[in-house]
Amino acid sequence: VLLYVLLISHNPFHEADCQSPSGRQAVEAGVVRLVAQGRFDTNAEGWTRLAHDARALIGGSLRVAPQERPSATDALRDPWLSRALAEAPDAATAGGGRPGAQSERWKAEHWAELHGFQQLGWLAIARASAEPELCPDVVEAARVAAAALPCQSKSEGYLRCLAQEIATSESGRWLQAKGAWSDVLRLAFCYLDADRDGALSAADLAGHIEATTAEAAFDEARQWITEWGEPASPCSNGSRPSPRSAGSPAALSGSGAEAPDASEVCGLSPADLQAALFASVQPLGGAADVGCCTAASYAGAL
């Protein structure tokens, strides 16, 4: 009803005013009757000018049977509403709200606030996702954002823009094939796990970190493992990490020493990667914010 009023400028059941001019109670009874019959004004000039998918959203929301109406979540995911919000990001986010289609500024700010491991994880997810698995509006938004980048940055820029779109999409709405999450996560983990040993060691992570020196990359990678790894089991065999098994620069330098046994490899598991990704979509402004979700609800949406 509110969406109809905002777009058409009058109540969808205003016909009751014409049919019952005798008083307020009669008008209210007329409105109730029209609502029960599912009859609303489809002859208004504003209605006929609306896009077909906009009329479909409103008409579906005004159905008499509750089970035939879209839920609030489904309505927020509606393609027309997503496009409308994306085309007016400043108005959509007035007062600090975060609707279904976030403003470009909010997306950039939220991405910048993510931990380096979370950013790397979403980049891997973007790389592992096939476009047919993704919602078209997410792919299109990434393409538009990448097109605005300098020519030399477009190839890698599209991947980063896609990762940003995915990371800032609420309730997992970016993944069109809902059952595909486990496969996407597995492929993303395999991309990061360079030695294919089933754990993201410092050596694996350092290869994906842009740093001034190899030592700096390893230091950052080791810090990531400390922050995001399971505290109860720093190594898969329960022991404390040794310099080589933790992926030190010496392990990467090819000194001739034997590689550590697989049972001694320390690092992050697929569950750790998933936990870091889900943690990044928890609401910044409180669960009451529009478009927010908890890690649990995000996991459920996928």
Side-chain angles (χ1 to χ4, degrees):
V1 172
L2 291 176
L3 184 57
Y4 184 103
V5 171
L6 288 171
L7 296 176
I8 312 300
S9 300
H10 63 70
N11 190 302
F13 307 106
H14 76 110
E15 183 182 342
D17 293 330
C18 303
Q19 295 179 347
S20 309
S22 56
R24 178 178 177 180
Q25 288 185 340
V27 170
E28 290 178 350
V31 169
V32 171
R33 184 179 65 257
L34 292 173
V35 170
Q37 295 172 347
R39 290 172 48 197
F40 62 95
D41 185 7
T42 58
N43 296 316
E45 182 180 354
W47 175 265
T48 59
R49 290 201 306 263
L50 281 181
H52 173 76
D53 48 359
R55 296 200 300 268
L57 172 61
I58 295 173
S61 301
L62 292 176
R63 290 182 181 275
V64 176
Q67 66 271 19
E68 295 180 0
R69 304 175 202 148
S71 65
T73 300
D74 289 337
L76 284 174
R77 293 175 179 172
D78 181 82
W80 174 83
L81 187 57
S82 296
R83 289 198 307 273
L85 291 172
E87 290 169 1
D90 293 335
T93 55
R98 306 211 314 272
Q102 311 293 2
S103 71
E104 293 306 314
R105 178 179 177 182
W106 184 87
K107 290 175 184 177
E109 291 175 351
H110 181 61
W111 177 262
E113 290 174 358
L114 296 185
H115 187 278
F117 179 56
Q118 292 173 319
Q119 290 186 352
L120 178 60
W122 285 120
L123 283 165
I125 290 292
R127 187 182 293 272
S129 302
E131 286 192 352
E133 297 175 327
L134 305 176
C135 289
D137 56 328
V138 170
V139 174
E140 180 61 23
R143 287 175 175 168
V144 170
L149 298 174
C151 292
Q152 64 270 22
S153 305
K154 288 190 188 300
S155 178
E156 191 66 22
Y158 169 72
L159 187 66
R160 182 170 292 274
C161 291
L162 183 59
Q164 181 174 296
E165 288 294 328
I166 291 174
T168 55
S169 295
E170 79 282 6
S171 300
R173 60 179 286 273
W174 57 273
L175 190 58
Q176 191 164 240
K178 298 303 179 186
W181 169 249
S182 59
D183 286 336
V184 171
L185 179 66
R186 177 179 57 81
L187 291 172
F189 187 87
C190 288
Y191 166 70
L192 298 175
D193 185 17
D195 56 14
R196 301 293 190 267
D197 63 357
L200 300 182
S201 65
D204 295 326
L205 295 174
H208 299 283
I209 295 175
E210 295 181 3
T212 54
T213 64
E215 181 70 36
F218 270 95
D219 287 343
E220 187 169 357
R222 285 194 292 264
Q223 183 63 31
W224 288 4
I225 293 174
T226 300
E227 293 179 17
W228 294 102
E230 174 57 50
S233 55
C235 288
S236 59
N237 66 353
S239 64
R240 298 302 302 177
S242 66
R244 179 167 297 280
S245 64
S248 65
L252 194 68
S253 63
S255 59
E258 290 184 359
D261 183 85
S263 64
E264 298 178 353
V265 173
C266 303
L268 301 176
S269 68
D272 294 327
L273 174 60
Q274 176 172 268
L277 295 174
F278 285 176
S280 72
V281 296
Q282 293 192 42
L284 300 179
D289 285 357
V290 177
C292 290
C293 64
T294 62
S297 66
Y298 191 91
L302 292 169

